Amino acid sequence: MSDILDRIAATIEERKKGDPKKSYVASLFAKGDDAMLKKIGEEATETVIAAKSGNRLEIVRETTHLWFHCMIVLARHGLGPQDVLAEMKRREGISGIDEKAARKKR
């Protein structure tokens, strides 16, 4: 499953320094953090709207857009899907309530 995420991350790495006129990824990198973060906000909102509609295909499509734009921001900070998956693995089996309480203590 993480193979596809790794391949997408590799493609983002390849394209981020490309020609912004030829690559969507390069265009976001050229525009900077605000453009990248704005896209995450837009895609998150569209994911919420899709979920409220109950349209399963739209939920999947909008979640795909959201994940992709999150991967762009991860790449911007030298991170990738394996970093997120490692954190998910760390949290596996920990109650969400307990995990949130532990964050407050830090």
Side-chain angles (χ1 to χ4, degrees), residues 1-105:
M1 174 73 92
S2 69
D3 290 349
I4 185 67
L5 296 176
D6 290 337
R7 287 193 304 272
I8 292 168
T11 300
I12 290 169
E13 283 299 316
E14 289 173 16
R15 294 185 181 170
K16 71 183 188 182
K17 292 185 176 160
D19 182 349
K21 293 178 183 174
K22 295 181 180 178
S23 167
Y24 175 71
V25 171
S27 74
L28 282 178
F29 273 87
K31 291 175 187 174
D33 290 348
D34 286 347
M36 293 177 194
L37 299 173
K38 181 179 176 186
K39 284 304 296 181
I40 288 179
E42 289 172 11
E43 300 304 343
T45 299
E46 291 170 4
T47 301
V48 169
I49 292 167
K52 288 194 63 79
S53 79
N55 182 319
R56 293 167 53 93
L57 181 57
E58 284 302 309
I59 294 167
V60 170
R61 287 178 174 165
E62 294 304 335
T63 301
T64 300
H65 298 161
L66 178 57
W67 285 17
F68 178 75
H69 287 89
C70 287
M71 289 178 68
I72 290 172
V73 170
L74 286 169
R76 161 69 180 87
H77 293 280
L79 299 164
Q82 293 308 318
D83 296 294
V84 176
L85 294 173
E87 178 63 10
M88 292 180 95
K89 183 176 181 177
R90 184 192 70 77
R91 293 183 186 192
E92 185 177 15
I94 300 172
S95 155
I97 293 170
D98 293 341
E99 198 281 328
K100 188 172 183 177
R103 278 187 274 155
K104 288 182 181 179
K105 291 179 184 175

